[in-house]
Amino acid sequence: MISEGLVHLVASDAHRPEGRSPSLVDAITVINQLFGEETRNLLFSDNPAHLIAGTALIGPIKIDRSNQHHKTTGQKRGWLDRLKISIR
């Protein structure tokens, strides 16, 4: 979806600090690895700030998939890893 320019921002639906905390660290890391710093900043910082301010979002941007890379960690695959595979 990101590669096709269909994602404008990434956020969490978590509402409280304990139990279901709004941690996006894994998602930030993966987006940075797959799509680069510019896309990471757009999705996790710039566009969320525009949304809160009530100003126009930037994008959509279409990503050149030829520059994507992925590092295998050997860890068990979670939902984010499955998502990465599905967008390739």
Side-chain angles (χ1 to χ4, degrees):
M1 290 174 58
I2 293 170
S3 297
E4 298 301 319
L6 301 174
V7 178
H8 287 80
L9 59 89
V10 177
S12 169
D13 68 344
H15 301 284
R16 56 195 141 112
E18 67 277 336
R20 188 171 163 209
S21 62
S23 177
L24 296 172
V25 175
D26 290 342
I28 291 168
T29 300
V30 170
I31 298 302
N32 192 58
Q33 288 175 345
L34 291 176
F35 301 103
E37 185 177 338
E38 181 180 359
T39 300
R40 179 202 68 209
N41 290 340
L42 178 70
L43 299 178
F44 290 93
S45 180
D46 300 340
N47 272 344
H50 283 289
L51 182 68
I52 290 169
T55 57
L57 302 181
I58 301 168
I61 55 172
K62 197 156 185 171
I63 307 298
D64 178 6
R65 292 172 57 145
S66 64
N67 293 329
Q68 291 182 24
H69 62 280
H70 173 66
K71 296 178 182 178
T72 303
T73 62
Q75 296 176 353
K76 183 178 176 183
R77 289 194 171 144
W79 71 268
L80 199 51
D81 290 320
R82 292 190 304 273
L83 174 64
K84 290 186 311 188
I85 291 168
S86 72
I87 62 173
R88 290 184 183 165

